[in-house]
Amino acid sequence: MKFFEDIQVGDVFEVGRYTFTVDNIKAFAVRFDPQVFHVDEAAAARSHFGGLVASGWHTALAWMRLMIDHRRRMDEAMRARGEPIAGIGPALGFRDLKWLKPVYAGDTIEYKSEVTEMRLSSSRPHAGLMTFRSTGVNQNGEPVISLVSTTFVERREKP
Amino acid sequence: MKFFEDIQVGDVFEVGRYTFTVDNIKAFAVRFDPQVFHVDEAAAARSHFGGLVASGWHTALAWMRLMIDHRRRMDEAMRARGEPIAGIGPALGFRDLKWLKPVYAGDTIEYKSEVTEMRLSSSRPHAGLMTFRSTGVNQNGEPVISLVSTTFVERREKP
């Protein structure tokens, strides 16, 4: 991760994309969110969704996994350039998670995160707090999920 | 699920409890949140957590799964009494998800949900909107996770 001082409000992270399939939708939902419209195609077709849809939690967790992979790629690139790597986390939680549209089997969601606030932390003076809004958009350009997270990021200049 | 008209602000759902173990913490994190303090006990012991901790997302998904199971038990009991079952969902999302304390391997979290608001829906007149705060508390009585969700619940009296 970049250091706190090197991140600006408005910076965008291209987190990555994920394709939801009948198989991965069902595999996730059977374990964590076994509602019929996530696990049974025939029942889902008769529901108000009209077809199998991903658990909203699945659309959030796909973002989380892509975000971790994205940070690893950033760290590798920085290491390759001989730059020091800042520590990140833990996350405090998030707010305003919205499931805006259903995600159907076959949909590919592209996730991006934009930094909305950077502030110092009184409880951890060696770190600052980064707040960012993450959005997933489907192949038709429609936002399907949005959430706002806050996490600690290491400062380059320790007080 | 009970119908909208049969749910009151202040009602509490005893959702259930879940024990986090080294194995289920790692299995979840390897797939969705592979940060070192969730997947590597030695590295976790050296981290600021001092030991292996569950992904915050795992503590949320454990609640989700227990909530689905809880609703099924409620529905079965109502069906056994010959009562009609109300439809529930979809959820709109949630707000203010907070990870308040780390959850370590061996911790057992007890989840409860309390209804905080009931209101009619203008977009879906056959349903109302239930808002509830869910909390997970560890075996020492310390809250570890809190979130506020809103979901549709079917009305008994259709307009």
Side-chain angles (χ1 to χ4, degrees):
Chain A
M1 192 67 193
K2 290 181 185 179
F3 284 88
F4 178 80
E5 290 85 346
D6 300 329
I7 303 170
Q8 315 292 333
V9 169
D11 283 359
V12 173
F13 303 113
E14 307 276 349
V15 176
R17 57 180 68 194
Y18 183 84
T19 298
F20 290 84
T21 66
V22 169
D23 286 349
N24 65 31
I25 287 173
K26 287 185 183 178
F28 184 94
V30 162
R31 191 160 158 211
F32 299 113
D33 189 2
Q35 302 187 72
V36 287
F37 36 77
H38 302 320
V39 296
D40 181 329
E41 287 158 280
R46 291 190 304 269
S47 76
H48 58 274
F49 290 117
L52 193 74
V53 291
S55 164
W57 292 94
H58 191 183
T59 64
L61 270 291
W63 163 77
M64 183 67 209
R65 176 56 196 261
L66 288 169
M67 178 61 100
I68 299 289
D69 292 346
H70 169 73
R71 286 180 188 161
R72 290 210 173 135
R73 287 195 304 274
M74 281 208 304
D75 287 357
E76 281 163 22
M78 291 170 75
R79 210 172 279 118
R81 293 193 298 266
E83 298 173 10
I85 311 288
I88 183 165
L92 297 183
F94 46 90
R95 57 178 204 266
D96 298 332
L97 189 150
K98 292 178 187 153
W99 292 306
L100 302 163
K101 289 257 182 192
V103 172
Y104 292 92
D107 284 356
T108 295
I109 308 303
E110 182 164 6
Y111 296 92
K112 291 185 188 184
S113 299
E114 179 171 351
V115 178
T116 59
E117 188 184 2
M118 298 295 294
R119 63 190 159 91
L120 295 177
S121 163
S122 49
S123 67
R124 299 192 185 205
H126 67 287
L129 283 161
M130 173 174 71
T131 297
F132 53 106
R133 175 179 294 282
S134 300
T135 312
V137 173
N138 69 17
Q139 65 280 357
N140 304 317
E142 299 165 320
V144 298
I145 185 173
S146 162
L147 73 156
V148 176
S149 324
T150 300
T151 189
F152 285 104
V153 179
E154 188 181 350
R155 291 176 68 182
R156 186 189 297 280
E157 310 291 341
K158 311 294 189 292
Chain B
M1 192 65 192
K2 290 182 186 180
F3 285 88
F4 179 78
E5 289 85 346
D6 301 329
I7 303 170
Q8 316 293 332
V9 169
D11 284 359
V12 173
F13 304 112
E14 307 276 348
V15 177
R17 58 180 68 194
Y18 183 85
T19 298
F20 291 83
T21 65
V22 168
D23 286 349
N24 65 31
I25 287 173
K26 286 185 183 177
F28 183 96
V30 161
R31 191 160 157 211
F32 298 114
D33 189 3
Q35 302 186 71
V36 287
F37 36 79
H38 302 320
V39 296
D40 181 329
E41 288 158 278
R46 291 190 304 270
S47 77
H48 58 275
F49 291 116
L52 194 74
V53 291
S55 165
W57 292 93
H58 190 183
T59 65
L61 270 290
W63 164 77
M64 182 69 209
R65 175 57 196 262
L66 288 169
M67 178 61 100
I68 299 290
D69 293 345
H70 169 73
R71 287 180 188 160
R72 291 211 171 132
R73 286 194 305 274
M74 281 207 304
D75 287 358
E76 281 163 22
M78 291 171 73
R79 209 172 280 118
R81 292 194 298 266
E83 298 172 11
I85 310 289
I88 183 165
L92 298 182
F94 46 89
R95 58 178 204 268
D96 297 333
L97 189 149
K98 290 176 188 156
W99 291 306
L100 302 162
K101 288 259 182 190
V103 173
Y104 291 92
D107 283 356
T108 296
I109 308 303
E110 182 164 6
Y111 296 92
K112 292 186 186 182
S113 298
E114 179 171 351
V115 178
T116 59
E117 189 184 0
M118 297 297 294
R119 62 191 160 92
L120 295 176
S121 163
S122 49
S123 67
R124 301 191 184 204
H126 67 286
L129 283 162
M130 172 174 71
T131 298
F132 54 105
R133 174 179 294 281
S134 301
T135 311
V137 174
N138 67 18
Q139 65 281 357
N140 303 317
E142 300 166 318
V144 299
I145 185 173
S146 163
L147 72 158
V148 176
S149 325
T150 299
T151 189
F152 286 105
V153 179
E154 189 180 350
R155 292 175 68 182
R156 186 189 298 279
E157 310 291 342
K158 311 293 190 291

